[in-house]
Amino acid sequence: MYALTNCTIYTTHSVLSDHAVIIKNDQIDSVTLATDLDNSIKTIDLNGANLCPGFIDLQINGCGGVMFNSEISEQTLEIMQATNLKSGCTSYLPTLITSSDEDIKLALKVARNFIDKTKNEILGLHLEGPFISLEKKGVHRAEFVRSPDLDIIDLICANADIVSKVTIAPESFSAEVIQQLHQAGIVVSIGHSNATYAQASEAINNGASFATHLFNAMSPMTGRNTWCRRRNL
């Protein structure tokens, strides 16, 4: 057990000074007034630094001079993790954009090996594609954009313990496949999509619960007058 002292503590609800964070068994045990600390507890002086929960980034394609798609390896993930720590990001989802089946399989293997060796760094993979809209592909390589392949979907679901999120264009998916991903425990995110309101609504009803860079590489809202009436504007 030890206490982190001489710092400004940012919690969900307040900013605290003259307080300390007590760590027990590598977990936060409590936050207390520094004057209430037991004299027997070891203290670590943070010299006035800011102390807050580590940030979590849900989509990092690359950083620190590397791109996950360019070099799918544990070394790439190590470089990305070290770079993230410099800005207070303690955990992240390495993101593989639209790729071949071979690269997806390799990413699954690399991520599993890395996660097995480390704690609380990679929280899972984010597969951004390849099942997206060709019209809204952005920088994704057109030759790898494709309709859902049930074998790959089954493989992704079989690895749901290391795949946290999958970005899809719902207009290319059946309700059953979206439900399959959702029921496996994977966050289904709508992105790089040209879906209509009805198609997006159906996907949400079947388990899609997230949006990847909303309205970027995605069809915009239309029918302003109808939308305003619905919002009573």
Side-chain angles (χ1 to χ4, degrees):
M1 182 185 291
Y2 59 92
L4 302 174
T5 64
N6 187 19
C7 55
T8 300
I9 302 168
Y10 291 82
T11 74
T12 305
H13 305 291
S14 57
V15 180
L16 304 175
S17 57
D18 301 321
H19 281 66
V21 176
I22 297 176
I23 307 297
K24 183 178 181 181
N25 296 326
D26 293 330
Q27 294 186 336
I28 295 175
D29 180 75
S30 60
V31 178
T32 184
L33 283 167
T35 53
D36 290 342
L37 283 175
D38 191 306
N39 291 332
S40 65
I41 191 170
K42 175 184 176 182
T43 61
I44 297 176
D45 190 329
L46 297 186
N47 298 310
N50 294 324
L51 185 63
C52 69
F55 299 124
I56 297 174
D57 199 317
L58 303 182
Q59 180 178 351
I60 299 186
N61 304 103
C63 58
V66 298
M67 292 289 291
F68 192 44
N69 271 75
S70 300
E71 180 61 40
I72 304 172
S73 68
E74 291 182 54
Q75 182 181 13
T76 297
L77 298 180
E78 290 170 358
I79 292 170
M80 291 170 67
Q81 174 68 19
T83 303
N84 289 336
L85 288 174
K86 295 177 182 179
S87 57
C89 177
T90 55
S91 305
Y92 73 109
L93 303 186
T95 300
L96 185 79
I97 69 170
T98 296
S99 303
S100 64
D101 288 352
E102 291 73 22
D103 279 357
I104 292 174
K105 292 174 183 177
L106 178 58
L108 292 172
K109 179 181 178 181
V110 166
R112 183 171 296 283
N113 289 341
F114 191 86
I115 290 171
D116 286 346
K117 296 175 183 177
T118 60
K119 274 188 175 182
N120 306 318
E121 293 185 0
I122 289 179
L123 302 181
L125 274 180
H126 173 194
L127 299 176
E128 188 185 355
F131 312 120
I132 59 174
S133 164
L134 189 60
E135 294 82 4
K136 298 295 181 180
K137 65 178 180 59
V139 300
H140 292 227
R141 291 174 61 178
E143 65 267 34
F144 293 136
V145 174
R146 54 197 185 275
S147 299
D149 180 307
L150 294 183
D151 288 340
I152 290 295
I153 294 295
D154 288 343
L155 178 66
I156 291 170
C157 290
N159 288 274
D161 59 321
I162 61 165
V163 179
S164 295
K165 183 166 65 168
V166 175
T167 293
I168 66 163
E171 64 269 28
S172 301
F173 275 69
S174 67
E176 291 75 19
V177 175
I178 293 177
Q179 289 171 1
Q180 180 183 352
L181 290 166
H182 171 66
Q183 290 168 4
I186 296 169
V187 173
V188 179
S189 182
I190 297 174
H192 287 277
S193 170
N194 209 22
T196 64
Y197 173 84
Q199 289 168 327
S201 294
E202 183 181 9
I204 292 168
N205 290 337
N206 284 290
S209 59
F210 209 88
T212 296
H213 42 64
L214 185 65
F215 294 126
N216 179 8
M218 187 181 295
S219 52
M221 276 197 261
T222 57
R224 179 181 181 279
N225 290 337
T226 300
W227 181 82
C228 286
R229 284 199 297 273
R230 288 176 180 168
R231 294 282 296 173
N232 296 318
L233 298 177

